[in-house]
Amino acid sequence: MEIVICKTKEEASKLAAQMITDAVKKNPKLVLGLATGSTPVLMYNEMAKAVKAKKVSYKQVKSWNLDEYVGLPGTHDQSYRYFMNKNLFEKIDIKISNTHVLDGMAKDPEAECKKYEEQIKKAGGIDIQVLGIGSDGHIAFNEPGTSLASRTSVVYLTPSTIKDNARLFFKGKEKEVPTRALSMGVGTICEAKKIILLAFGENKQNAVQQMVEGGVSQFCTASALQLHNDAWIFCDEASAKKLKLKKYYAWRSATKMGK
Ligand code: F6R
């Protein structure tokens, strides 16, 4: 794991966006795994700026998103399809037909998940997977107690995730948040060739500490990334606060990145 600790989330988002821009320039047919939530928004804005400045093009890039709520159509303003269209796809030159988000309205959700895994495999696998982290240490919607070998499937949200996500729903009401989602599994995520995880803010302190310095455990599914040999964790100072070796990580990553 490479832990990059920046003063601000703005700085961390710029570095992460640059990593993606460089990778797309190198391989215009890159396969991206994408995340929703508030964390990657600044990074998506930076990626869009690079497209606007004609530094990079996503015309041949394909993407697969991590997850989607069961029961929300892509037109619902809290669906992850809607989020991706608004926060990234409409701002870059990617072909919408090359973007994939699980269908939360699928009649046969398990078949939808199986199809998704097959599509990713056919595309040659994910080159770079973008992740956020839940305050309970989840990646995608893989909540505590999920097997670290799990594949894309129907999953059940914890009360803590429902509470965290309620702020985005009608009047912030927890009962508006779907209790189930379709989500890439931890095993699926860990097959990506490179991982970029972003973590910002004080409420991610415990999750970040567990992910990086706790044992590998299904109680914090992000800890599975300890077994990945090209995982980059971009933190701001607030989320990195509880890391015991934060000075060492900061020095090591700065040296490696030539800063
Ligand atoms: C989103 C996702 C989630 C979020 C996590 C953090 O597609 O899979 O794991 O990354 O819940 O959410 P935010 O960024 O809103 O704190």
Side-chain angles (χ1 to χ4, degrees):
M1 259 184 190
E2 204 53 62
I3 298 106
V4 185
I5 304 172
C6 297
K7 274 212 155 50
T8 62
K9 59 182 177 182
E10 286 77 11
E11 198 190 319
S13 303
K14 271 190 192 162
L15 283 179
Q18 191 61 51
M19 201 174 241
I20 295 178
T21 302
D22 290 346
V24 177
K25 274 194 201 161
K26 212 167 151 202
N27 174 13
K29 291 187 174 176
L30 200 83
V31 178
L32 274 177
L34 296 171
T36 60
S38 44
T39 310
V41 173
L42 287 170
M43 185 187 78
Y44 291 157
N45 289 344
E46 292 298 326
M47 286 161 65
K49 271 190 211 165
V51 173
K52 212 170 166 204
K54 300 210 176 337
K55 288 184 185 153
V56 68
S57 168
Y58 286 75
K59 279 196 180 118
Q60 299 179 79
V61 168
K62 289 185 178 158
S63 74
W64 274 265
N65 258 79
L66 285 170
D67 40 19
E68 180 61 282
Y69 288 113
V70 167
L72 297 193
T75 48
H76 190 288
D77 64 1
Q78 289 310 322
S79 75
Y80 286 173
R81 162 53 79 182
Y82 187 91
F83 175 99
M84 288 310 300
N85 288 352
K86 292 287 162 217
N87 286 287
L88 185 66
F89 301 151
E90 287 171 10
K91 296 181 178 179
I92 60 175
D93 57 352
I94 199 165
K95 280 191 196 145
I96 208 77
S97 56
N98 280 345
T99 69
H100 305 80
V101 181
L102 284 151
D103 179 4
M105 299 299 284
K107 280 204 178 77
D108 183 345
E110 292 298 351
E112 169 69 9
C113 294
K114 202 164 166 244
K115 187 181 85 187
Y116 209 66
E117 289 260 347
E118 279 159 11
Q119 284 175 341
I120 294 171
K121 207 168 162 194
K122 209 169 150 204
I126 307 266
D127 292 307
I128 300 183
Q129 177 66 59
V130 174
L131 297 173
I133 183 168
S135 59
D136 63 3
H138 69 231
I139 45 174
F141 270 132
N142 295 292
E143 300 285 33
T146 305
S147 163
L148 300 184
S150 61
R151 310 301 307 183
T152 306
S153 62
V154 180
V155 297
Y156 297 78
L157 276 53
T158 57
S160 109
T161 297
I162 292 175
K163 197 169 163 217
D164 283 351
N165 293 3
R167 70 187 195 279
L168 305 164
F169 280 79
F170 183 63
K171 289 186 177 166
K173 285 194 174 149
E174 286 178 33
K175 71 169 175 43
E176 298 289 330
V177 185
T179 53
R180 290 185 305 153
L182 305 181
S183 175
M184 273 193 206
V186 184
T188 320
I189 291 168
C190 288
E191 279 171 9
K193 293 167 194 109
K194 188 186 209 72
I195 306 245
I196 292 179
L197 182 145
L198 306 169
F200 305 143
E202 261 182 45
N203 70 327
K204 303 290 171 74
Q205 275 175 8
N206 291 332
V208 167
Q209 203 275 331
Q210 280 300 306
M211 162 177 68
V212 178
E213 296 176 340
V216 175
S217 158
Q218 63 179 16
F219 196 67
C220 170
T221 54
S223 67
L225 302 183
Q226 290 180 26
L227 302 174
H228 195 285
N229 70 358
D230 197 11
W232 289 73
I233 315 298
F234 289 88
C235 300
D236 62 355
E237 279 184 350
S239 70
K241 211 167 176 176
K242 288 197 174 163
L243 289 172
K244 295 185 182 82
L245 292 186
K246 65 177 173 236
K247 280 196 184 145
Y248 167 69
Y249 305 138
W251 166 76
R252 186 179 68 184
S253 65
T255 309
K256 280 195 187 175
M257 293 172 91
K259 284 204 293 170

